[in-house]
Amino acid sequence: MRIATTIFLTDETIRPVRLARELEQRGFAGLYLPEHTHIPASRDTPAPMGEPLPREYGRTLNPFVALAQAAAVTERLALGTGVTLVAQHDPVDLAKQIATLDFLSGSRFTLGIGYGWNVEEAADHGVEWSTRRALTRDRMALMRALWADEPTAYEGPFGSVRASLAHPKPAHGAPRTLLGGAAGPKLFGEIAAAADGWLPIGGRGLTEALPALRRAWSEAGRAGDPVVVPYAVRPTPGKLAHYRDLGLEEVVLQLPPAEENKVLRTLDDFAQYL
């Protein structure tokens, strides 16, 4: 099982270049980064991880810029987002960022996507909360049109793009795309319709959830099994053994949003799982 990592990189933590080099040298499989453009100081939305909201949420580095630095100083380390808040982006610009990072990294990029939890943050991007899932679907479809081999137009409920020359292209038509969110028929239907798999935060309840996801996948006519990557996991030997028993091939461990020495000590501890 591949052991990757995630961290809230901020202006107060270890730098992306240093972390990426250490991860690759130590044999870790990948680095996934979260995204928040900003956190409105006044909000009514409760933080799902509990209040007060941890300091790092309002200081998070842009994941695409940070991952580009990581790509430049590594050769094998997989790179990903966990998660990109697609509804908060211009899809034409986001398609270019994703394709460029995939190209420059040698196709090492995984696009983790999600719907978000912060109503006020989304509102500042012009997102109507009740339509964010449909908006995400629409923007993903528009980006796939731009990534198509031949110029392809797209007309959707929220946006459109002319048939265009748009290079570079992701190596395999689109990067591996994993959808984050809580287990349930709605999410599993979305995964089966338009993603490569699931990015379950924390990794709890997988024994019960996996059969339902695989059933939705099969009913949608998809071949094989969906990719499932437990994300932001606090590891124990028993937990990782359980994931292996479930047939999972990758897990993403949570690093502390800390300065260099503390992060490197955590990597030393996590090395037992490699």
Side-chain angles (χ1 to χ4, degrees):
M1 189 166 61
R2 299 187 301 278
I3 305 296
T5 61
T6 184
I7 183 175
F8 277 86
L9 287 179
T10 78
D11 56 329
E12 298 175 330
T13 68
I14 188 171
R15 295 297 184 98
V17 166
R18 175 71 162 143
L19 177 58
R21 284 174 169 155
E22 289 288 339
L23 289 169
E24 184 159 275
Q25 289 169 7
R26 293 161 184 256
F28 287 91
L31 172 64
Y32 290 71
L33 297 181
E35 176 182 50
H36 282 285
T37 53
H38 67 300
I39 301 293
S42 176
R43 59 185 166 81
D44 295 322
T45 309
M49 70 296 299
E51 298 287 355
L53 185 68
R55 177 182 176 85
E56 60 267 19
Y57 277 76
R59 308 186 75 94
T60 306
L61 300 185
N62 179 290
F64 293 99
V65 175
L67 289 170
Q69 283 200 330
V73 298
T74 57
E75 296 180 353
R76 302 176 303 280
L77 190 72
L79 309 165
T81 53
V83 294
T84 298
L85 301 171
V86 174
Q88 297 181 186
H89 287 268
D90 175 284
V92 178
D93 184 58
L94 182 59
K96 176 68 77 172
Q97 290 184 64
I98 291 167
T100 300
L101 181 55
D102 186 78
F103 172 72
L104 292 177
S105 69
S107 302
R108 289 184 276 152
F109 181 64
T110 289
L111 176 62
I113 65 173
Y115 303 124
W117 60 267
N118 192 330
V119 176
E120 289 80 10
E121 177 185 357
D124 285 346
H125 289 277
V127 176
E128 184 179 339
W129 193 246
S130 64
T131 65
R132 71 192 187 284
R133 290 182 175 86
L135 178 59
T136 297
R137 286 194 299 273
D138 186 64
R139 289 185 170 171
M140 288 298 301
L142 189 155
M143 291 195 295
R144 289 190 180 99
L146 288 168
W147 295 333
D149 288 338
E150 298 298 328
T152 301
Y154 176 78
E155 182 75 36
F158 295 95
S160 63
V161 68
R162 297 172 176 84
S164 301
L165 303 177
H167 292 265
K169 305 290 187 184
H172 305 293
R176 183 178 73 156
T177 301
L178 306 178
L179 178 58
K186 184 180 292 187
L187 182 81
F188 292 166
E190 296 277 4
I191 292 170
D196 297 303
W198 184 26
L199 201 65
I201 307 300
R204 294 181 179 177
L206 291 179
T207 301
E208 296 76 20
L210 286 179
L213 172 59
R214 288 166 176 159
R215 186 164 54 251
W217 188 264
S218 177
E219 290 173 353
R222 302 287 298 269
D225 284 328
V227 176
V228 177
V229 181
Y231 186 79
V233 169
R234 310 284 183 175
T236 66
K239 189 182 293 185
L240 298 190
H242 176 59
Y243 296 153
R244 292 188 183 95
D245 291 343
L246 292 174
L248 306 187
E249 297 181 353
E250 182 180 4
V251 62
V252 181
L253 307 186
Q254 180 70 62
L255 293 170
E259 46 79 28
E260 183 173 302
N261 288 340
K262 184 174 181 179
V263 172
L264 297 184
R265 287 195 300 271
T266 304
L267 291 181
D268 289 338
D269 181 49
F270 286 177
Q272 66 181 295
Y273 304 118
L274 296 176

